[in-house]
Amino acid sequence: MRSTATPTSPTSPTDNSDRTGHATLPPFLPAFQRLHQTMAPWVASDPDRVAVMDAHRALRYGELDAAVRKTAQTLTTLGVRGGDRVVLLTENSVGCAIILLALSAIDAWSVPVNARLSAREIANIVEHAGARVTLYLDNDFPEAREHGLARGAQWAEWPHVGRLLVSPVDDNAVAEPVEADAHDQVAALIYTTGTTGASKAVMLTHANLMFIGHSNRMQSRVQPGDRVYGVLPISHVYGLSVLLVGPLSNGATVYYEPRFRPDKLARTLIEEQLTVLHGVPAMYAKVIEWSRAQGQSLRTPSLRIAQSGGAPLTASLKAAFEDAFGILLNNGYGMTETSPTVCQTRVESPRSDCSVGPAVPHVEIQLGPLLPDGSGELLVRGPNVMKGYYRRPDLTAQAIDSDGWLHTGDLARIDPDGAVSIVGRSKEIIIHSGFNVYPEEVEQSLNAFPAVLQSAVVGRAVEGNEEVIAFVEVRGGMTLDEAALRTFLRDRLSAYKMPAEIRIVTQLPAAPSGKILKAKLREQLATGKA
């Protein structure tokens, strides 16, 4: 087990800790024991307010409560027990939200999986999770349906949920113990994309996820009556927390969209009078590019908060967003293992830089041993930290030390005011001629060039050294002049940080969340396919 071994940087001055790194506030205590219970206040006070909607239907809070109860009965009749793992292949939809809440109501573990994964990836998840049953939710896209039919699932029609495919019940599946305390009972297994290695199943408890809803409320990010755009995949922790738990525990309305399309976002902003927008940088880059090409404004008087997360935000994209939308773009940092929020810029304290802000209240952070440039591995402790990796106590022990600190693997700097800047992943540092090169720094410079939509930088091993290789996605309707780009970079980067090679790609490989999959780029380099 790793030890913090007296970190060389003190805990940042967050809202809940002193300069010694000891918590000064009591631990987060959820008001409820299960996720589905968090909407109860709104069921009682505002049963007629729309809770969830998609292109096909809308359910009010009172209707959603009834739908969850009925679906919980259906799952029980099917043979699902408390402690069972239920894999749900889906795109964002009202039916998906109902099933996830119904699984909470019967103490089963939800395993949301994006339907766009390969058959092999899905088979591995079903086997590793020891799933009692797998549900394939039919919708506007064929992937879940095709996977279900290929695996022998049978058609069913569930009230409120709609048409879906249901796998045979695995009678050999062993249920996990049901824990009364929300801090102990697992709500969801989230399989990571494996961008830095093999996929792992992160156990997030009900308390983990309810903490995110609490944090949203305390920072006035989601309020009763807000209308939230729900395009980030619920199968990813960012989508699960900000598009289900956060809005429903705070009396908001979520408009679910299964897949991102710039024109659809622009239209929905106006038609649904959206007030809260969550997205990843790649999504924002594409919608801004679309608006420029179409000559269509993205400004709307209803939108009050926009949030970026899931990947590094560049100064050029932040400026472009704020010019296009007319409001501040907030930034944050988190990971699957932290449910996901760790740091967040504050609405009341706007920032012009790309810092991810200070740690959210009740969460402690500190840096491990410092590198020569003043950065260190970011360590996190608090009610957001996962229970562990399912069936991998060895990996859990490597990630969480004996003092409860999660070792993120991300390198960061902490400003005197507590604001955190993420430098990069410790495993992704490129060591060129003895110098450390942080990919994010090179990517920010690349992305500032007018013809570059987005980029990804990885290292390539050569004899006795490591080279900087840049993959670049070019803006639509533009061409990339590499000589001009290199001249541009030389004004911004030291010579040792300059890419040895710049490769133009039609589209960078990305996870359903929009996160660029650098592991695939490194694999392409290693096999000579890039």
Side-chain angles (χ1 to χ4, degrees):
M1 180 177 293
R2 277 189 299 184
S3 170
T4 52
T6 312
T8 56
S9 176
T11 301
S12 67
T14 66
D15 300 12
N16 66 305
S17 61
D18 59 26
R19 293 280 177 172
T20 66
H22 296 102
T24 56
L25 290 180
F28 166 71
L29 298 175
F32 302 97
Q33 290 300 320
R34 298 295 185 262
L35 291 180
H36 70 285
Q37 298 170 343
T38 61
M39 65 179 181
W42 313 107
V43 173
S45 65
D46 297 277
D48 294 328
R49 176 184 296 159
V50 173
V52 291
M53 60 190 299
D54 56 27
H56 304 292
R57 58 183 170 150
L59 288 184
R60 302 177 188 279
Y61 271 92
E63 296 169 330
L64 178 60
D65 181 58
V68 168
R69 293 173 187 273
K70 177 62 178 176
T71 304
Q73 293 175 0
T74 301
L75 287 163
T76 300
T77 302
L78 182 64
V80 178
R81 309 154 301 184
D84 276 335
R85 282 77 60 211
V86 175
V87 173
L88 174 61
L89 254 75
T90 184
E91 307 276 2
N92 291 5
S93 67
V94 168
C96 172
I98 292 171
I99 292 174
L100 291 172
L101 294 169
L103 290 169
S104 164
I106 61 173
D107 285 327
W109 299 16
S110 62
V111 189
V113 176
N114 195 289
R116 284 170 278 179
L117 294 185
S118 69
R120 181 179 179 181
E121 289 171 311
I122 291 168
N124 288 342
I125 289 173
V126 171
E127 179 180 359
H128 180 269
R132 175 74 164 172
V133 69
T134 302
L135 308 176
Y136 305 83
L137 195 53
D138 193 23
N139 52 34
D140 295 333
F141 300 94
E143 286 87 351
R145 182 165 62 249
E146 291 172 354
H147 283 304
L149 293 172
R151 293 180 62 86
Q154 300 296 311
W155 285 109
E157 186 81 27
W158 289 6
H160 307 292
V161 171
R163 197 163 181 250
L164 73 164
L165 285 153
V166 182
S167 78
V169 173
D170 185 352
D171 292 327
N172 295 319
V174 177
E176 296 289 345
V178 173
E179 308 288 351
D181 194 317
H183 293 89
D184 300 319
Q185 177 66 16
V186 173
L189 274 186
I190 304 295
Y191 280 80
T192 68
T193 57
T195 53
T196 58
S199 295
K200 301 182 287 285
V202 176
M203 294 185 288
L204 298 179
T205 68
H206 288 264
N208 285 154
L209 291 168
M210 284 190 285
F211 171 72
I212 302 304
H214 168 82
S215 180
N216 286 171
R217 180 167 59 256
M218 291 301 97
Q219 296 181 66
S220 301
R221 294 187 174 277
V222 181
Q223 302 173 350
D226 267 333
R227 299 174 68 82
V228 184
Y229 192 56
V231 72
L232 297 174
I234 289 181
S235 54
H236 184 271
V237 67
Y238 190 4
L240 178 64
S241 66
V242 304
L243 304 183
L244 181 69
V245 182
L248 296 185
S249 62
N250 292 314
T253 298
V254 188
Y255 184 94
Y256 286 121
E257 190 69 67
R259 299 193 182 181
F260 169 69
R261 278 176 32 196
D263 59 320
K264 202 72 178 296
L265 170 56
R267 185 166 67 250
T268 308
L269 271 172
I270 298 171
E271 293 180 354
E272 299 299 333
Q273 298 182 344
L274 299 177
T275 62
V276 178
L277 180 61
H278 286 273
V280 296
M283 175 182 124
Y284 291 139
K286 290 182 184 297
V287 75
I288 292 167
E289 180 186 33
W290 175 88
S291 71
R292 288 171 175 169
Q294 299 296 318
Q296 182 169 330
S297 173
L298 295 171
R299 298 194 175 203
T300 170
S302 61
L303 190 64
R304 71 178 187 87
I305 288 181
Q307 174 69 41
S308 180
L313 175 66
T314 64
S316 58
L317 179 57
K318 176 176 168 64
F321 179 97
E322 293 173 354
D323 178 65
F325 284 83
I327 66 170
L328 181 75
L329 180 58
N330 292 286
N331 197 16
Y333 163 79
M335 56 194 303
T336 306
E337 288 85 345
T338 56
S339 310
T341 309
V342 174
C343 299
Q344 180 64 67
T345 57
R346 304 296 199 254
V347 173
E348 67 277 10
S349 303
R351 299 188 68 93
S352 59
D353 59 17
C354 289
S355 158
V356 295
V360 298
H362 299 285
V363 170
E364 296 176 86
I365 60 172
Q366 62 183 11
L367 298 182
L370 297 183
L371 297 174
D373 66 358
S375 69
E377 183 183 13
L378 186 65
L379 310 182
V380 180
R381 185 168 66 182
N384 56 337
V385 174
M386 67 173 179
K387 185 171 184 175
Y389 296 113
Y390 188 48
R391 295 178 169 172
R392 292 302 304 268
D394 56 328
L395 294 180
T396 302
Q398 291 174 26
I400 304 176
D401 67 29
S402 58
D403 293 321
W405 290 100
L406 172 72
H407 294 242
T408 68
D410 289 323
L411 296 172
R413 297 189 185 96
I414 301 178
D415 293 337
D417 65 356
V420 175
S421 294
I422 303 299
V423 176
R425 286 198 62 80
S426 58
K427 293 181 179 179
E428 291 183 357
I429 289 179
I430 302 167
I431 303 176
H432 179 67
S433 299
F435 295 97
N436 288 348
V437 178
Y438 297 107
E440 283 80 2
E441 182 182 2
V442 182
E443 288 161 359
Q444 289 198 7
S445 296
L446 286 163
N447 294 346
F449 191 69
V452 174
L453 178 60
Q454 57 180 346
S455 63
V457 170
V458 298
R460 179 174 62 190
V462 295
E463 187 172 356
N465 207 345
E466 194 172 12
E467 294 180 328
V468 179
I469 307 297
F471 291 82
V472 171
E473 190 175 329
V474 182
R475 292 188 181 279
M478 300 184 73
T479 57
L480 183 67
D481 183 334
E482 184 173 336
L485 174 57
R486 288 190 173 278
T487 299
F488 179 84
L489 293 177
R490 278 194 290 271
D491 291 336
R492 290 162 172 77
L493 297 173
S494 301
Y496 69 88
K497 299 176 184 178
M498 289 290 292
E501 187 176 346
I502 297 174
R503 300 191 177 195
I504 298 174
V505 296
T506 302
Q507 188 169 12
L508 291 166
S513 64
K515 182 179 182 180
I516 295 172
L517 301 177
K518 291 188 178 181
K520 290 191 175 182
L521 296 176
R522 283 190 287 268
E523 181 182 338
Q524 291 171 12
L525 284 174
T527 58
K529 295 180 180 180

